[in-house]
Amino acid sequence: MASKLTFKGGIHPLRGIHHGKPLSEKRPIEACSVPEEVVLPLSQHIGAPSVPVVKAGDRVDLGQMIADAGGYVSVPCFSSVSGTVKAIEPRPHISGRPMLSVVIQNDFEDRLYPGIKSAGSLESLSPKQIVDIIKSAGIVGMGGAAFPTHVKLSPPPEKKIDTVIVNGAECEPYLTADHRLLLEHPDEIVHGLEAVMKALGVGEACIAVEENKPDAIAAVSKAAQGKNIRVLTLRVKYPQGAEKQLIYAVTKRQVPSGGLPMDVGAVVVNAGTAYQIDQAVSKGLPLYQRVVTVTGCVNNPSNLMVRLGTPLSHVIAYAGGFSGRIEKLIAGGPMMGITQYNLDAPVMKGTSGILALDAKTARSAQASACIRCGKCIAVCPMGLQPYLLSDYAENERFEDAEKAHALDCIECGSCAYVCPANRHLVQEIRLAKSQIMQKRKK
Ligand code: SF4
Ligand code: SF4
């Protein structure tokens, strides 16, 4: 019987050609080759950009800090190779806009920065020390959001946290990076979760995985045995891994409009983030590499451990190159990922996948007029009226869009996926959101 743990609305893109996961789900994580030059953007996270602490000509080690946090909601950035700083200059970025980046020429010596060492056992660390380690390691949400993790783990005193969830849903079609991490590194993920529990003073927690990953569920269940950690099986539905939908599925608590998970006593960390937290606590390693699913129309769909700053072109070449004529290249998954136009853009902290789609799978049909079928309303997991929001955006009625809760849109793409008129609903709603935010800033 299907798991009862789920949320209202949502879709099933994991069927038919958009499933995609079998392409790479059985491929163990493999180290990608390291490029001659890495390009590390100062903006790889939500919040203030990092501030360079090196200059052109400096020799750097693997794991050495090259840019410090630019504020509280910010994180430091580390060299992913040993070598020499070539330049600090604008370079192509996954967002599509050039971004100031530290460019490092690799000397292929992989000299580890001497300051890197284990912080000791969890028992010997205080909650504050754990949060400081996570902050100093430059850890952000690895599911794609790239929100600084130390901020999540520092709720104000009036927000009492009683629920910690490791997000192992990985509901995006094609992506299998978290699946492989759960399967291959369950002990590390459980240890990372224990660090989060201690940092927040929470005695119990859970790891939530969609039921289409039985091998991963078995692996983390074994690793969690004898600890106050439950492994929960979620129904397969998109966007099951979105924070608010996951919290509802697990606790039946609804994060209020404009609110945060901490408003309902919950903190969610992605499985990849829990893994990085383990690496920082037990080995002292900062975030300088991550698992990326390289899939779709490539010759060897894979899950690769990629050094941050590696150009997309290098990773695609390592996966055997494109297997045909590519219509669309996406950083991330097909639902929430960002279309790429420049293969020089580098892998960053939030890059969970590189997906190449051909004309058959890219779904680039012509948009036509809305037929008021209501399908978009039925699937919206946030209870919004997507056709109306898009209508407001098209007619520049941004105040009306604000009143209709446009800012609650999590940009999951479910509405656009089911729209028979192929309306560009997410792009329109994104436009409305940015206009509303700009007005609020003024
Ligand atoms: S309106 Fe936003 S939250 Fe609702 S389905 Fe569309 S993209 Fe998802
Ligand atoms: S699904 Fe598309 S056609 Fe149907 S109401 Fe929504 S926007 Fe209009």
Side-chain angles (χ1 to χ4, degrees):
M1 200 177 81
S3 167
K4 288 196 168 52
L5 298 182
T6 191
F7 60 96
K8 296 171 192 157
I11 56 172
H12 294 275
L14 297 176
R15 291 184 185 140
I17 56 168
H18 298 290
H19 185 320
K21 288 186 189 272
L23 288 174
S24 58
E25 67 190 352
K26 298 264 186 285
R27 303 295 299 265
I29 297 167
E30 177 190 340
C32 180
S33 64
V34 187
E36 289 191 358
E37 172 187 286
V38 290
V39 176
L40 297 156
L42 297 171
S43 254
Q44 298 187 46
H45 53 268
I46 289 179
S50 314
V51 181
V53 293
V54 292
K55 56 185 186 320
D58 283 358
R59 189 167 175 258
V60 292
D61 294 333
L62 170 63
Q64 181 175 335
M65 186 166 74
I66 51 157
D68 204 352
Y72 178 62
V73 184
S74 181
V75 282
C77 181
F78 300 85
S79 180
S80 55
V81 295
S82 61
T84 307
V85 177
K86 231 166 112 176
I88 301 175
E89 62 188 20
R91 286 290 186 104
H93 186 268
I94 272 175
S95 67
R97 290 185 299 271
M99 195 73 69
L100 198 61
S101 307
V102 178
V103 185
I104 301 172
Q105 183 72 46
N106 189 0
D107 63 14
F108 292 98
E109 289 179 19
D110 264 0
R111 266 185 332 275
L112 196 62
Y113 184 60
I116 290 176
K117 61 173 191 314
S118 163
S121 70
L122 268 186
E123 293 71 47
S124 67
L125 296 169
S126 70
K128 182 176 180 314
Q129 282 173 316
I130 294 171
V131 174
D132 286 346
I133 290 167
I134 291 168
K135 184 179 180 183
S136 310
I139 296 176
V140 299
M142 307 285 286
F147 185 75
T149 302
H150 67 272
V151 180
K152 252 189 189 181
L153 301 187
S154 311
E158 69 276 13
K159 305 275 183 202
K160 184 80 194 113
I161 305 299
D162 61 12
T163 302
V164 177
I165 308 170
V166 165
N167 183 356
E170 201 168 49
C171 58
E172 271 263 8
Y174 287 96
L175 301 187
T176 55
D178 286 351
H179 181 168
R180 293 307 311 183
L181 267 179
L182 286 160
L183 185 59
E184 297 178 44
H185 297 282
D187 294 318
E188 290 90 336
I189 289 171
V190 166
H191 185 247
L193 171 56
E194 288 180 302
V196 171
M197 289 161 70
K198 181 150 187 192
L200 290 166
V202 175
E204 289 177 19
C206 68
I207 301 174
V209 188
E210 278 193 336
E211 57 193 345
N212 59 353
K213 306 172 187 64
D215 49 358
I217 291 168
V220 280
S221 298
K222 191 160 169 247
Q225 250 168 29
K227 305 179 191 279
N228 285 338
I229 294 171
R230 291 179 300 151
V231 177
L232 302 177
T233 305
L234 303 163
R235 190 176 297 174
V236 178
K237 194 164 63 160
Y238 178 85
Q240 184 61 85
E243 263 189 352
K244 292 174 184 172
Q245 282 60 39
L246 182 61
I247 291 167
Y248 182 82
V250 171
T251 66
K252 295 290 172 278
R253 296 177 199 166
Q254 198 123 32
V255 178
S257 173
L260 293 169
M262 66 173 72
D263 295 328
V264 295
V267 164
V268 178
V269 291
N270 172 262
T273 312
Y275 173 77
Q276 286 303 328
I277 291 172
D278 163 73
Q279 297 295 291
V281 173
S282 44
K283 298 182 185 157
L285 289 172
L287 175 49
Y288 69 84
Q289 60 182 358
R290 65 155 299 143
V291 184
V292 181
T293 302
V294 192
T295 188
C297 299
V298 292
N299 285 310
N300 298 312
S302 338
N303 299 291
L304 301 177
M305 187 62 90
V306 180
R307 301 284 178 96
L308 301 182
T310 304
L312 299 180
S313 57
H314 182 99
V315 184
I316 292 162
Y318 188 84
F322 295 130
S323 58
R325 194 179 145 76
I326 299 306
E327 182 82 5
K328 195 173 186 182
L329 186 76
I330 299 171
M335 301 299 294
M336 294 187 79
I338 305 169
T339 303
Q340 297 301 301
Y341 301 98
N342 190 335
L343 294 185
D344 291 337
V347 165
M348 307 196 299
K349 294 179 178 182
T351 311
S352 49
I354 301 172
L355 172 61
L357 296 173
D358 59 14
K360 210 166 66 197
T361 45
R363 299 184 88 239
S364 52
Q366 199 65 34
S368 55
C370 171
I371 56 168
R372 297 287 191 265
C373 67
K375 285 187 177 174
C376 54
I377 302 171
V379 299
C380 177
M382 295 305 294
L384 303 174
Q385 301 189 59
Y387 81 94
L388 194 61
L389 293 174
S390 127
D391 209 48
Y392 287 149
E394 239 175 24
N395 293 295
E396 300 186 7
R397 292 170 59 186
F398 300 119
E399 275 181 22
D400 289 328
E402 188 172 6
K403 282 184 206 144
H405 303 288
L407 290 182
D408 281 346
C409 169
I410 57 170
E411 301 178 18
C412 68
S414 300
C415 50
Y417 184 83
V418 296
C419 176
N422 299 304
R423 309 275 310 153
H424 299 150
L425 297 168
V426 188
Q427 286 93 322
E428 297 284 9
I429 298 170
R430 224 175 251 154
L431 169 74
K433 285 172 73 178
S434 78
Q435 292 293 324
I436 295 165
M437 289 310 289
Q438 267 179 31
K439 198 187 100 198
R440 284 193 182 183
K441 269 187 202 153
K442 273 185 204 160

